[in-house]
């Protein structure tokens, strides 16, 4: 059994839930996934927990996961790997890392961001999902770096790995990985259906769609909801199912005319 320890970063918030999960995998050497924010006390705690570190890896370059990565790698004297983060060695799809006696495989999973990578322990049937799957709620997509079509492909790829357990970048452990991934795919199908039904009433702006689809949600989440709705609209535009007119906040979206 590979030892896996979570060190929770002190950065709770609407985007990060309880904070960023920094994962320490294996020992002598350990693999550290997502050192998190550049908080000296947090980085010292991760270093103390990890002991000797063989490599530091990033699921993606958003600050809540990556801001402290360079400093942490220097602190523990280990190389830093990422898909595109400045100062890191280039991470590639299928790259192998050792965490104690275990092998960890990098799996490119774009969608939340273009550089997103999950990390898979095949023998443990465990998947570290960063922000591609979180422990509570759903992932937000922020176009243009966030891309719904790519995200749906990544969800299916993660499903095909047949993991049993998901260790996310935020929130609690997910003990039924397949059910969670199917739930995420169904959620996106449901949200697409809501967008199409709202547009059946006539052209609308993103704000109007959010007001209709998220009417029962707190207004504080509407900014994130607008990004998600935009991601759905861009996918539907690429699928030639909707059209757009105008620019900026007054831009409207409409169902494409039947061919």
């Amino acid at each position: 059994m590979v030892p896996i320890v979570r060190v929770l970063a002190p950065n709770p918030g609407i985007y990060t839930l309880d904070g960023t999960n920094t994962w320490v995998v294996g020992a002598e050497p350990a693999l550290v996934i997502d050192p998190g924010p550049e908080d000296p006390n947090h980085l010292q705690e991760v270093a103390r927990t990890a002991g000797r570190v063989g490599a530091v890896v990033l699921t993606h370059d958003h600050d809540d996961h990556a801001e402290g990565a360079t400093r942490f790698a220097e602190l523990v004297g280990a190389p830093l790997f990422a898909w595109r983060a400045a100062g890191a060695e280039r991470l590639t799809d299928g790259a192998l890392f050792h965490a104690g006696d275990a092998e960890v495989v990098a799996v490119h999973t774009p969608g939340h961001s273009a550089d997103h990578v999950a990390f898979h322990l095949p023998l443990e049937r465990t998947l570290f999902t960063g922000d591609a799957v979180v422990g509570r709620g759903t992932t937000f997509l922020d176009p243009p770096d966030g891309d719904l079509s790519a995200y749906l492909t990544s969800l299916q790829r993660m499903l095909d790995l047949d993991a049993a357990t998901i260790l996310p970048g935020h929130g609690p452990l997910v003990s039924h990985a397949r059910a969670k991934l199917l739930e995420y795919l169904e959620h996106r199908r449901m949200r697409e259906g809501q967008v199409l039904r709202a547009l059946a009433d006539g052209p609308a702006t993103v704000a109007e769609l959010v007001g209709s689809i998220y009417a029962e949600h707190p207004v504080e989440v509407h900014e994130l909801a607008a990004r998600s709705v935009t991601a759905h609209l861009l996918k539907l535009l690429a699928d030639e199912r909707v059209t757009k007119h105008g620019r900026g906040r007054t831009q409207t979206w409409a169902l494409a005319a039947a061919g």
Side-chain angles (χ1 to χ4, degrees), residues 19-37:
T20 300
N21 294 331
T22 297
W23 295 104
V24 177
V25 186
E28 299 298 323
L31 178 72
V32 173
I33 302 174
D34 288 349

Side-chain angles (χ1 to χ4, degrees), residues 51-208:
R52 185 165 67 91
V53 177
V56 182
V57 296
L58 295 178
T59 59
H60 60 304
D61 66 1
H62 292 174
D63 281 351
D64 56 316
H65 294 258
E67 184 186 42
T70 298
R71 176 177 289 190
F72 179 77
E74 293 172 350
L75 176 66
V76 298
L80 171 64
F81 294 86
W83 195 265
R84 69 179 178 192
E89 296 186 38
R90 181 71 159 86
L91 187 60
T92 57
D93 188 45
L96 291 177
F97 296 91
H98 288 91
D101 295 329
E103 281 193 341
V104 181
V105 184
V107 183
H108 188 212
T109 50
H112 172 73
S113 61
D115 68 323
H116 199 284
V117 178
F119 295 94
H120 184 215
L121 277 76
L123 294 181
E124 303 288 328
R125 297 185 66 207
T126 297
L127 187 62
F128 297 88
T129 55
D131 280 359
V133 179
V134 292
R136 187 170 67 249
T138 56
T139 295
F140 79 91
L141 305 179
D142 189 10
D145 197 37
D147 182 284
L148 180 56
S149 293
Y151 184 58
L152 293 173
T153 298
S154 293
L155 287 174
Q156 185 61 54
R157 186 178 187 193
M158 288 187 285
L159 186 63
D160 292 342
L161 293 174
D162 193 32
T165 303
I166 284 172
L167 300 181
H170 304 282
L173 172 152
V174 177
S175 57
H176 301 286
R178 179 175 178 80
K180 175 61 73 172
L181 288 162
L182 289 172
E183 175 190 317
Y184 265 48
L185 286 164
E186 178 56 32
H187 173 78
R188 291 299 168 181
R189 283 192 287 267
M190 178 271 294
R191 192 68 78 204
E192 180 174 287
Q194 289 179 316
V195 171
L196 290 170
R197 285 193 296 275
L199 289 177
D201 294 331
T205 65
V206 168
E208 289 167 341

Side-chain angles (χ1 to χ4, degrees), residues 148 195 199 204-206 209 228-238 242 253:
L148 180 56
V195 171
L199 289 177
T205 65
V206 168
L209 290 169
S228 178
V229 167
T230 299
H232 278 276
L233 289 167
L234 291 172
K235 175 186 176 295
L236 290 166
L237 182 68
V242 303
W253 297 79

